[in-house]
Amino acid sequence: MKVETNKILSALCYFSIFFAGFIFPIIVYFVTDNPHVKKDAKSALISHIIPIIAIPLLFAGLFLDIGIFATGSGIPVFFLLMIGLFIIVNIVIVIWNVYKGIKVLL
């Protein structure tokens, strides 16, 4: 079974969430001439950046519960909710990248 180089590059852009973050899709985007690979690199890059955008949610939860942290009384509900949301977003992004990487190879 022969797999094309372009398909491998596209799949590696998605799988790079495990080993190279957003650096690999940027490099592939600027190096390749194939429009399909460029599209996949751009999609992978966007999906790698989404968890970084979710980081302010953690700080918002921390800010909303700063009184609870200062006094040591109660449960920091907003902070725990934001941590949960952050974890869910990251899990969904990883699953989506694995799915898209496998789909490109098939």
Side-chain angles (χ1 to χ4, degrees):
M1 180 169 114
K2 181 183 173 203
V3 180
E4 295 178 24
T5 306
N6 291 333
K7 285 185 176 185
I8 292 174
L9 273 177
S10 292
L12 282 175
C13 286
Y14 290 113
F15 294 144
S16 70
I17 197 163
F18 296 116
F19 63 88
F22 55 88
I23 294 170
F24 188 76
I26 289 174
I27 292 170
V28 170
Y29 184 80
F30 287 114
V31 170
T32 188
D33 294 332
N34 187 321
H36 183 67
V37 175
K38 277 190 181 273
K39 181 181 91 48
D40 285 332
K42 183 178 172 184
S43 295
L45 177 63
I46 291 170
S47 71
H48 292 14
I49 291 175
I50 289 173
I52 295 170
I53 294 171
I55 289 175
L57 294 176
L58 294 174
F59 289 112
L62 182 64
F63 180 74
L64 290 171
D65 284 338
I66 198 78
I68 293 172
F69 285 119
T71 62
S73 62
I75 299 172
V77 176
F78 291 115
F79 186 62
L80 294 176
L81 284 173
M82 292 304 134
I83 288 175
L85 182 63
F86 184 73
I87 290 170
I88 289 171
V89 165
N90 281 314
I91 289 171
V92 168
I93 293 297
V94 167
I95 291 171
W96 185 82
N97 276 295
V98 170
Y99 168 75
K100 291 293 282 186
I102 292 171
K103 186 177 175 184
V104 166
L105 286 175
L106 297 179

